Amino acid sequence: MFQTERIRMIVVDNVDSIEAGPPLSRRWSRWVAWTMLLVLLVLIYGSHAPLISLTKVDGHIPFSPSSCVLLIEFAKLLVSFAALVATGNLSVLKVSVSAVAVAPFAVPALLYAFNNNLVVLMQVYMDPSSFQLLSNLKIGCSALLYSFCLGKRQTKGQWLAVGLLVAAGLCHSYSSLNWKLQNEEKLSPGVHITSWGLLLVLLYCFVSGMAAVYTERVLKTQRLPLSLQNVFLYVFGVALNLASHLSGGDSGRRGFLDRFTALVWLIIAGQVTNGLLMSVVMKHGTGITRLFVISSAMLVNGVLSWWLLGIQLTPHFLFPVVLIGLAVYLYYM
């Protein structure tokens, strides 16, 4: 009887340990690593625009933007392939290269390329200020598509958190535009938007959200190493950006690496890191986490713009800070 009771106690202890999940130290280390990854993403994402502004000469970017984007995609491809070799998964490449495995990664590349051209087209039907404000709607659109396409149900509090992120983006954009209007020496052409412009910006938000949701679904449903999936994804990215670079007039006016300073190489390194880390979030996290990263990056953008560019922060800047903090609390707490 004593032996039976002892066996029962051992079984109960084992069940409790299984239900408790990984040891506390392991869970703590994972939480720290995940937090550091997200903080790094926010810093890189938020610093991109201020660093680009620092490279301008007489208000213009002196280097070839298409060359820069092409180098970023090519570097991400090289790093992904190096990670594939370093992890010993190169043998997987031989058995995984098939139309069924590779073709899905062409879709997000095409969607992002479509959106890049759509941004240019929208300038005909609306002013840049209106686009900057309305593009914040992609946060809500992405959340809706995430819930509908991936079947991820959100609570009322979580939907409220997403709404607060949209509001924070609108407030941040509005305060930035206010500063520009007050400090520009030349008269602005005025705010205008046509019905076609409104339709195009809604299409832009939909395509942006669909690309993110589709990428997350492919990354999570395929049983392939993330490094290999990144190789597939960036092969299409390099091909499309190379075609865009060669067909655009930008490639003929400037040399490929003309005016590439140390700051430009820093921007390239940051965007390579940003893309690779964001794929980790899409693979092991959620698309909603990506939205929180993008929204939080606005705050980093504002602080760096004040520090590096001398842009004055107004009291309106505190309002998005409060909204994003409240959104994080509602969604994750």
Side-chain angles (χ1 to χ4, degrees), residues 112-317:
Y112 285 125
F114 174 80
N115 252 16
N116 291 336
N117 289 280
L118 192 60
V119 170
V120 178
L121 178 62
M122 280 190 289
Q123 307 306 315
V124 180
Y125 300 100
M126 70 174 68
D127 63 287
S129 301
S130 297
F131 169 71
Q132 183 178 341
L133 281 171
L134 293 174
S135 63
N136 289 288
L137 295 176
K138 68 182 179 183
I139 296 175
C141 188
S142 297
L144 287 170
L145 289 171
Y146 174 80
S147 179
F148 180 76
C149 297
L150 300 183
K152 305 294 185 180
R153 302 299 178 188
Q154 311 292 329
T155 65
K156 292 181 180 179
Q158 289 175 326
W159 280 119
L160 178 58
V162 172
L164 290 175
L165 287 185
V166 176
L170 292 171
C171 291
H172 179 75
S173 298
Y174 179 76
S175 60
S176 300
L177 294 176
N178 248 359
W179 186 91
K180 288 180 181 178
L181 291 175
Q182 291 172 4
N183 291 275
E184 280 181 349
E185 295 179 1
K186 297 181 180 180
L187 292 175
S188 64
V191 176
H192 72 281
I193 180 170
T194 64
S195 55
W196 270 109
L198 183 59
L199 180 63
L200 289 175
V201 79
L202 292 176
L203 178 62
Y204 166 83
C205 293
F206 174 80
V207 172
S208 177
M210 184 57 70
V213 169
Y214 181 86
T215 303
E216 180 179 349
R217 183 175 182 85
V218 172
L219 290 176
K220 288 182 175 177
T221 53
Q222 285 190 348
R223 294 187 175 182
L224 295 173
L226 179 59
S227 54
L228 179 58
Q229 291 178 313
N230 280 337
V231 168
F232 293 157
L233 180 63
Y234 296 132
V235 161
F236 289 105
V238 169
L240 287 173
N241 282 284
L242 178 60
S244 175
H245 175 74
L246 295 177
S247 62
D250 184 55
S251 59
R253 293 195 306 269
R254 306 169 182 170
F256 188 79
L257 297 178
D258 190 26
R259 308 294 292 273
F260 269 56
T261 63
L263 183 57
V264 177
W265 287 110
L266 177 62
I267 292 170
I268 291 173
Q271 290 309 295
V272 171
T273 306
N274 178 69
L276 295 171
L277 292 183
M278 192 61 81
S279 66
V280 175
V281 173
M282 302 290 278
K283 177 82 170 181
H284 302 290
T286 67
I288 301 297
T289 302
R290 171 180 169 271
L291 297 180
F292 275 94
V293 168
I294 295 172
S295 297
S296 300
M298 294 187 301
L299 309 181
V300 176
N301 182 297
V303 173
L304 287 180
S305 296
W306 163 74
W307 182 41
L308 298 175
L309 306 175
I311 295 178
Q312 184 180 0
L313 294 179
T314 66
H316 298 94
F317 179 75

Side-chain angles (χ1 to χ4, degrees), residues 42-88:
V42 169
L43 292 175
I44 295 174
Y45 213 104
S47 64
H48 182 60
L51 292 179
I52 287 289
S53 297
L54 285 177
T55 66
K56 290 183 178 180
V57 177
D58 297 326
H60 300 283
I61 296 176
F63 58 91
S64 168
S66 63
S67 298
C68 185
V69 174
L70 179 56
L71 278 174
I72 290 170
E73 292 299 305
F74 185 67
K76 287 190 287 188
L77 175 61
L78 287 181
V79 173
S80 300
F81 186 78
L84 188 65
V85 174
T87 54

Side-chain angles (χ1 to χ4, degrees), residues 28-39:
W28 173 253
S29 62
R30 287 179 181 177
W31 182 87
V32 171
W34 192 251
T35 301
M36 291 176 62
L37 182 147
L38 295 179
V39 169

